[in-house]
Amino acid sequence: MSAPDSRFVRACKALPVDRTPVWFMRQAGRYMPEYRAVRKRHSLIEICKNPQLAAEVTITAAEYLKVDAAIIFADLLLPFEVMGLPFHFSAGEGPVIESPVRTADDIRRLRTDSADDLGYVADAVSKVARHFSTTLAVIGFCGAPFTLASYMIEGGGSRHYIKTKNLMYSQPQAWDELLGKLVAVTSAYARAQVEAGADVIQVFDSWVGCLSVEDYRQYVLPRTTELIASFKTSGAPIIYFGTDTSTLLASMKESGADVIGLDWRIPLDEGWSRLGNSGAVQGNLDPVLLFADWKHVKAGARRILDQAGGRPGHVFNLGHGILPETPVENVRALAEYVQEHSAGATSFSRSVREGGI
Ligand code: CP3
């Protein structure tokens, strides 16, 4: 860990801070001209596998936006390769898994002994951590078992998750074996990122919101809890993020994560209340709002800060990642707005003013 006392890490632990920390999912991406320039010369996978380039892309985005944390540039699906499941990105289609996982035999063949081959991500983390030292927190990340399994089984993105749910219902043992294997690999992978200097780990369960509460609790929560427990001992706080999760929030909290990510569909205060108003929350501006005039963006940000009410444990973010065509100046202005307009509004700054600290 490189910045354990930063305001971002403190907020993840629901400790008081001087102002609300802010960062953005997909803050290094195609909306940014600097990133597009690198992508002209290198494929996405080339950037991910080159620690120098991955570190540069990470650092450039965080410094340009002046955010409170840098998320390591990588991709959710990188562990597939070391499990023996090649994939590529096809223009306009997104990720394509060449031979999707469909049977118990396919699952049996997946490897769990080569997580070390993802060492290039930890190498990039250590370069970023060295660059920022204690001045900025570094976020490592991995996929959650459900979302990763859905890509493996569907062979790419999906609308209804028919093959995924079908395998889950019809072959529950094979399904659980698959999730167990994903936990083994992602647990080692995330741990290596913490050892390399990541201050916080975000677990992306982007598509878990397609499940009913009952199915989530039966087929997914036990393995997700196991994953989170396995790197809790590293001491790094864990953010657990999904979309369309309003009905799942209370169950997601049982995973043991320190911070729960909220998407934009639920008011931040209502989401927090479904979590028992305990622990920390991250979110939750609609990423599409960034396409609107600045006055609308500002009003949306203001509303979220008001809903958080200066309580310890709010990390400002979008409700999902920045979209490719987003106006870059709105993203930068949003970070600045949150930083300026949350100072003095947190309970920490109030108690400093009142002489309590
Ligand atoms: O947040 C960051 O700045 C760090 C980088 C990051 C990337 N992928 C780089 C990337 C992160 C955190 C991810 C996670 C990821 N990857 C997720 C979970 C996050 C989420 O949005 O819920 C998922 C589902 C993936 C798989 C994936 N990778 C998809 C669906 C796509 C989109 C394909 C497309 O063409 O739009 C990607 C590609 C990808 N990963 C891009 C970036 C910057 C954009 C494509 C590019 O540069 O060519």
Side-chain angles (χ1 to χ4, degrees), residues 11-30:
C12 288
K13 295 177 176 168
L15 295 171
V17 286
D18 59 344
R19 62 164 177 75
T20 306
V22 52
W23 71 280
F24 303 113
M25 290 180 273
R26 287 277 171 91
Q27 63 193 24
R30 281 172 296 190

Side-chain angles (χ1 to χ4, degrees), residues 26-28 30 35 39 71 74-76 89 151 206 320:
R26 287 277 171 91
Q27 63 193 24
R30 281 172 296 190
Y35 176 76
R39 276 286 278 117
I71 183 163
D75 194 79
L76 210 64
F89 286 94
Y151 278 102
S206 309
H320 202 175

Side-chain angles (χ1 to χ4, degrees), residues 23-30 35 39 43-44 47-48 61 71-77 89-95 141 147 151 157 204-207 241 243 320-321 324:
W23 71 280
F24 303 113
M25 290 180 273
R26 287 277 171 91
Q27 63 193 24
R30 281 172 296 190
Y35 176 76
R39 276 286 278 117
S43 71
L44 174 65
I47 305 172
C48 293
I71 183 163
I72 192 66
F73 191 86
D75 194 79
L76 210 64
L77 307 188
F89 286 94
S90 87
E93 240 191 290
F141 72 89
T147 291
Y151 278 102
F204 281 95
D205 213 349
S206 309
W207 314 128
F241 166 81
T243 66
H320 202 175

